[in-house]
Amino acid sequence: MKGAMQLATMMAQDPGKAVERVESVEERRERLWDQCSGLAQEPDILSRVEAVLPHTGYVGESKTPLNLYLGITSRCQPRPISTLIQGPSSAGKSFMLGCVLKLFPPAASHEIPSVSPKARAYGQEPIANRIIGLAEAQENVRQ
């Protein structure tokens, strides 16, 4: 949205200059590939993720956050997987989710602090290709 506002401002000031500054799809793809190609071509991405986890503040077993990482990564696939983190109260589930989400852009997730059976029907937030973080579900929703 911020980019659209900047483009609108530039077009209002000097329409010709604004058109010159618009990045083509190919240029954007190339720029983004330059930023991520090292990781994208990594033969063992999960080892890299495991090495980075302590820098997010997470220390503990790595199986659960790595599975969560894979689940979040699948959000852009045609059939993304669902991931559920369960455990006793105060076990660090939300903290672990927050640490793993630091490895993704903010737009990759949408957190819902509490949910009722009709929450999604009335929600306005777009959820395509995003992970939905439900902090606490009511008991009748978990069935």
Side-chain angles (χ1 to χ4, degrees):
M1 191 64 159
K2 185 178 176 183
M5 295 295 289
Q6 290 173 337
L7 180 59
T9 302
M10 287 191 308
M11 288 182 76
Q13 295 170 350
D14 186 354
K17 195 172 190 178
V19 172
E20 291 172 14
R21 289 188 170 179
V22 174
E23 184 178 41
S24 72
V25 172
E26 292 80 19
E27 290 170 331
R28 182 170 190 261
R29 186 178 296 130
E30 186 176 320
R31 178 178 54 80
L32 293 173
W33 180 249
D34 287 344
Q35 292 175 3
C36 75
S37 62
L39 182 61
Q41 295 175 340
E42 175 69 41
D44 187 5
I45 287 179
L46 291 181
S47 290
R48 293 264 306 265
V49 172
E50 189 172 22
V52 170
L53 276 173
H55 299 284
T56 68
Y58 182 81
V59 291
E61 61 86 22
S62 60
K63 182 178 178 182
T64 305
L66 291 177
N67 283 325
L68 184 57
Y69 178 86
L70 290 174
I72 296 170
T73 301
S74 79
R75 77 191 188 286
C76 296
Q77 298 300 314
R79 292 184 52 144
I81 63 171
S82 297
T83 305
L84 176 66
I85 305 169
Q86 286 185 308
S89 182
S90 300
K93 301 176 298 292
S94 295
F95 180 76
M96 181 191 57
L97 174 60
C99 289
V100 174
L101 285 175
K102 289 178 184 178
L103 304 175
F104 295 90
S109 66
H110 172 62
E111 185 175 346
I112 301 174
S114 63
V115 66
S116 69
K118 296 181 181 180
R120 185 56 212 136
Y122 296 105
Q124 300 296 314
E125 188 72 26
I127 61 170
N129 297 331
R130 297 176 83 187
I131 182 169
I132 307 301
L134 302 174
E136 295 291 333
Q138 295 176 358
E139 274 306 312
N140 59 354
V141 177
R142 291 184 185 169
Q143 299 173 353

